Each structure stands twice: as structure tokens, then as C-alpha cells.
Amino acid sequence: MKTHRLSHISSALVLALGLSTSALANTTTSAIKGNISGPNGNPAAGTQITIVHVPSGTTKTATVNDSGLFTAKGLRVGGPYKIIVDSDKFKDTELNDVFLTLGQTFPVTVALESQQDIETIEVTGRAISKFATGTSPSSHFNAEDLASLPAINRDLKDIVRVDPRVYVDESRDDAIQCGGGSPRFNSLTLDGARMNDNFGLNSNGNPTVRIPFSYDAIDQVAVELAPFDVQYGGFTSCNINAVTKSGGNEIHGSVFADYTSDSFKGDSLEGDKIDTGSYDEKRYGFNVGLPLIEDKLFLFAAYEKLDGQQIMQYSAFDNGAVTQSDIDRIVQISKDKYNYDPGSLVPSIPVEDEKILVKLDWNINDYHRLNFVYNYNDGFEIGQSDEGSNRLSLSNHFYERGAEFTSYISSLYSDWTDNFSTEIRIGYSELDNRQISLDQASGFGEFRVENVGSDVSVYLGPDDSRQSNKLKYDNLSFKVAGTYYLDEHELYLGYEREELDVFNLFVQHSQTETRFNNMDDFESGLADDVYYGNACLLYTSDAADDLL
């Protein structure tokens, strides 16, 4: 048993001077900052600002200071918002249909008119590019973008690839590369909690084989590249920051379904028939948002399911390096000589993926807002570890490669005064990774028959790297942060802690690997090499690492 300390503790203090419309850092909310003046351009100090999130009735108030400024943080992304400017000296005014972007501050400038003048509203601000903000090169995508842009895979990669600085590498499980960086250097966050591949097994950088949450549950997403902000951390390439939808005072939702089958797929190439198997694949799901208590407590839920098929590859067979008669002979020898059925060249194998997300939003009062998010994903694909132009695996050599991932996130946003606000977040996630041979129950070892056909190696029996392979980890994170506004200056104080507890078991050849030089030796039982690995006392569990 080995124990290592991998806990991470960080705290930071930053003073930001002259903050105007620059984007907020790694956050799950938005902000509004305004300048309110009177008829002569003088600060309209004491003016009351009321910000209303129309769908939920959530209200936040602020008072214009002696410099004519007000700021509101911790606001829900999206909208629409209504901003009411209430002055004792000048005409009141109202701004409608304001929509907020994740991690950005919405700038408002209002010049109030005197009571006897006709009311006019002057709102100024500069347009912000979708691909640029104040702290770094970045891109932002709102709910309209997510709904209108083509997303055939129901994955954020379909959306973020619109940014020319983002590349989706289809040769590495559709991994996202930002500015040419490795996908393992990215960070994926959902409502502020990281959902990364903490052990580095997946080439796509995700903890699961597919995106770990439902596409329809996402309200907005931002991609930040190389930000210079103290709140960022845990990545060196880019941060993909997604926030989930919330319920409102009106019931809203949607359903979806898509279907395909072998009848939609071509079965010939240049006159040659191709066996694509007999299969069908369907995806379906729904999402719904509703009030549990009007203006007070809201529920949002999303569900998504994939019942699919994975098409298997047999390059050595397709290119003629090995023939069907070679395969038939190996299968027959295995059955007759070793009493083992190694499977066949199956065209396709079923795969599944299921996602569930539930979110509660509670408006405690006008000064405090709490939310809780539960997310679950369980899915798998089929691995062909020994497949290529000179390697061929029979079906009982395949393995299931998947994971069960569960996360819990809760955030509390509080306004203690007009100048001081805080955010407290706690997140916990656990992952149960599995790499299980499809024929694990047989207890058979791996056989490798070399020099078949045109120098092809044929593999049968449970894969040698999946005979004793287990990974589990849980991750606990905590963040508390406060922001204090001092006239035009912003003081930010924060503390963050993250702990990772990992269990890993990996023993190659615990059920042996046996290699034969050719089919004749395989038939005669003449092995060229035999590999066996285990712990000293022959208990594979003794070889496990428990990392903290």
C-alpha cells in the first residue's frame, strides 16, 4: 500500500483598479456595472437600482454611490432582465430586455432628466465580440447559440469549434485542442466544479468516454484561453466553463429523439459489398423547468439516453493480410485444443450512455440565493486494443471501456451591503472507471498467434491489460470568495481547496499471456513465450495504489 499527498491549497488577494467592462474570471454568474448621472452630468448619488430577472422574479437592489456608480454581481446568466432606476430628484427610468453573458460585466450608462423634462434614456456601451473579452482571448456562446448552431453529436465540441482557435481532433476521440495545446491541459467546469480526467486515461480530457452532462441542460458556455486573472487555475491550455439552465415561474421544456440504422448506411464500395451488420441506434431525452414555489423555489431537470451501436474495425482482414480461412482455422483450434470459444469478427456491438441532471434554485431573500446541482453519467464504448494493419482481434478479446460519474455542486451567492458580496461553493464528484474484458468471466488468458497470413498477429482471450484493471477516485473542492467595491476600485479576496483521493489497480498478465510463433505451434500447444504478473503474495489487490 502506498500513500501520497496530492491535495492542493491555494488562496489569493487581488486589487483591480479601474474595472469597467472587462470580463469576470472563472465564474458561473454575470454582473452589471453602471454609471448614473443627472441632467448636468453630475453623479446621481443615492439613486436606487432594482434589477429583476423576469423569468424567476429574482430581485437585486443597489444604491448609486457618490461617484455615480453601482455594481451587482452574482446574477444569473441570460435573461431577460429589467433594470429600474428610481430617483428622488430626477425622472425614473426603466431598461428592459437586458441579457447577460457568462463571466462578463454588462455596462450601463444612464443620464437622467429633470422632472419637468421629457424622459429620455441614454444607454451606452461598446459591443463585445463573441471571441474577445477583457481578461484573455475567449469565446462565449449563449442559449440561442446552443439551440441554433448544428450539434449533431449533442456535445459542446460541436459549438466551441466555431472559434478558429479551437480544434477538434477526431483521431483522439474528438478531443478539444485550444491554441494547439494538449486536451489534457484543458479544464472543463460545470457550474464552477471541475469535470476533468484526473488520472489522464482518456485522450479527450473528459472523465467519461463522452461529455459527462446532457447538452440540453446547458444555458451558456465560455472558452477562455490563457487568462490573466487570479481566479483561474487548474489548466494551462483553456478553460471550458459551462453553466446549467434553471427553472422559472413558467413551465418550459422540450423533448428530442433521433434514430438511425444499417438501412441508412451504405453497404458497398466500388461494387464490393461491405458487411455493416444489422443494427439500429437511437437517442432520446427531455428537459423541463418549473416553479415549486413562485418567485422562490425552482426546479430544472434533464435526461438523455443513447442506445447505440459501435462499428468494429478489422483492418488486417479488410486489406487481405489475413483471410477468412485463417480465422476459421484459429477458431477451430481454440475450441478443439483449448476448449475455448474466442468469438468472431462481429460487425457491431451495442453501446449505451445515460445522463441525468437535476437543479434546484432557491431565492432565500433579496440578498441571498442558493442552488444545488446533481449530475449523473454512465456510459461505455468498446475497446479494440490490438487492431491495425498487421493485428487482428477476435470479439472475446474486446473490452468495455466506460465510467460511472456522479457530481454534487452547491453555491451560495450573498450581498451583505451595496459594496460587499460573497460566493461560497462546495463540490464533490466520484468516478468509477471500468475497463472490463467482455469475456472476463471465463478466466482465460490472452493468446497471441503470430505470423498468420501476411505476417499478422491474431489475438484471442481477455486482453492482458484488462485482466486486473480498476480505477476509482473522488474529488472534493471548496471555494469562498468576497468582492468589495471601493468607489471605482474592486478588492477581491478568495480561498480555494481541492482534494483528490485515487484508488488504482493495474496488473498486466495476471491471467497470463501466451504467444505462439505460428498456427502450427498454436495447434501443437508449443508456446514461444508465456507472461505472468502478480503481487509478491499472488494477491493482485496488493498491487493497488491508494493515492490521497
Side-chain angles (χ1 to χ4, degrees), residues 175-233:
I176 296 175
Q177 296 183 1
C178 298
S182 168
R184 290 193 174 95
F185 297 159
N186 298 338
S187 180
L188 173 65
T189 56
L190 181 71
D191 288 330
R194 293 190 183 98
M195 295 191 172
N196 299 330
D197 178 15
N198 289 320
F199 203 73
L201 290 180
N202 294 337
S203 58
N204 61 10
N206 294 333
T208 51
V209 295
R210 302 172 187 85
I211 192 169
F213 44 79
S214 173
Y215 180 82
D216 285 341
I218 303 306
D219 192 5
Q220 292 193 21
V221 60
V223 182
E224 297 279 354
L225 292 86
F228 49 93
D229 194 299
V230 71
Q231 296 186 72
Y232 282 92

Side-chain angles (χ1 to χ4, degrees), residues 282-295:
K282 52 185 177 290
R283 288 184 299 184
Y284 52 91
F286 71 91
N287 69 86
V288 61
L290 52 87
L292 298 179
I293 303 176
E294 187 174 0
D295 292 339

Side-chain angles (χ1 to χ4, degrees), residues 64-83:
V64 176
N65 64 19
D66 293 337
S67 299
L69 303 175
F70 77 91
T71 305
K73 294 190 67 174
L75 301 174
R76 291 190 186 190
V77 302
Y81 278 88
K82 178 170 63 176
I83 303 175

Side-chain angles (χ1 to χ4, degrees), residues 440 442-446 462 467 508-513 531-533:
Q440 184 186 48
S442 70
F444 203 75
E446 175 182 294
Q467 295 171 2
Q508 272 191 316
H509 308 122
S510 64
Q511 294 173 200
T512 71
E513 176 192 358
Y531 297 86
Y532 176 70

Side-chain angles (χ1 to χ4, degrees), residues 143-339:
E144 183 179 353
D145 296 326
L146 296 173
S148 60
L149 290 173
I152 188 65
N153 297 298
R154 300 189 56 78
D155 195 310
L156 292 183
K157 65 175 180 285
D158 296 328
I159 305 301
V160 301
R161 70 194 310 166
V162 172
D163 189 332
R165 296 161 299 198
V166 175
Y167 169 66
V168 177
D169 188 351
E170 296 181 357
S171 68
R172 296 171 60 86
D173 292 334
D174 291 339
I176 296 175
Q177 296 183 1
C178 298
S182 168
R184 290 193 174 95
F185 297 159
N186 298 338
S187 180
L188 173 65
T189 56
L190 181 71
D191 288 330
R194 293 190 183 98
M195 295 191 172
N196 299 330
D197 178 15
N198 289 320
F199 203 73
L201 290 180
N202 294 337
S203 58
N204 61 10
N206 294 333
T208 51
V209 295
R210 302 172 187 85
I211 192 169
F213 44 79
S214 173
Y215 180 82
D216 285 341
I218 303 306
D219 192 5
Q220 292 193 21
V221 60
V223 182
E224 297 279 354
L225 292 86
F228 49 93
D229 194 299
V230 71
Q231 296 186 72
Y232 282 92
F235 65 96
T236 57
S237 187
C238 73
N239 182 60
I240 303 171
N241 185 20
V243 294
T244 54
K245 297 176 181 177
S246 297
N249 283 327
E250 295 183 0
I251 299 176
H252 61 86
S254 64
V255 297
F256 81 93
D258 59 58
Y259 173 83
T260 187
S261 71
D262 58 285
S263 61
F264 291 89
K265 187 178 180 67
D267 58 3
S268 65
L269 178 63
E270 297 180 351
D272 296 327
K273 295 289 290 183
I274 299 175
D275 185 6
T276 60
S278 177
Y279 70 90
D280 60 5
E281 178 175 301
K282 52 185 177 290
R283 288 184 299 184
Y284 52 91
F286 71 91
N287 69 86
V288 61
L290 52 87
L292 298 179
I293 303 176
E294 187 174 0
D295 292 339
K296 201 74 173 178
L297 186 63
F298 310 94
L299 170 70
F300 176 83
Y303 177 82
E304 185 171 327
K305 180 70 181 294
L306 165 69
D307 291 318
Q309 294 281 337
Q310 182 173 331
I311 307 301
M312 313 314 295
Q313 304 295 323
Y314 303 100
S315 301
F317 181 78
D318 294 337
N319 64 24
V322 64
T323 65
Q324 185 63 54
S325 61
D326 294 328
I327 301 303
D328 292 342
R329 183 183 175 192
I330 290 175
V331 171
Q332 197 60 49
I333 292 172
S334 179
K335 291 180 178 179
D336 296 343
K337 179 73 176 181
Y338 302 96
N339 196 30

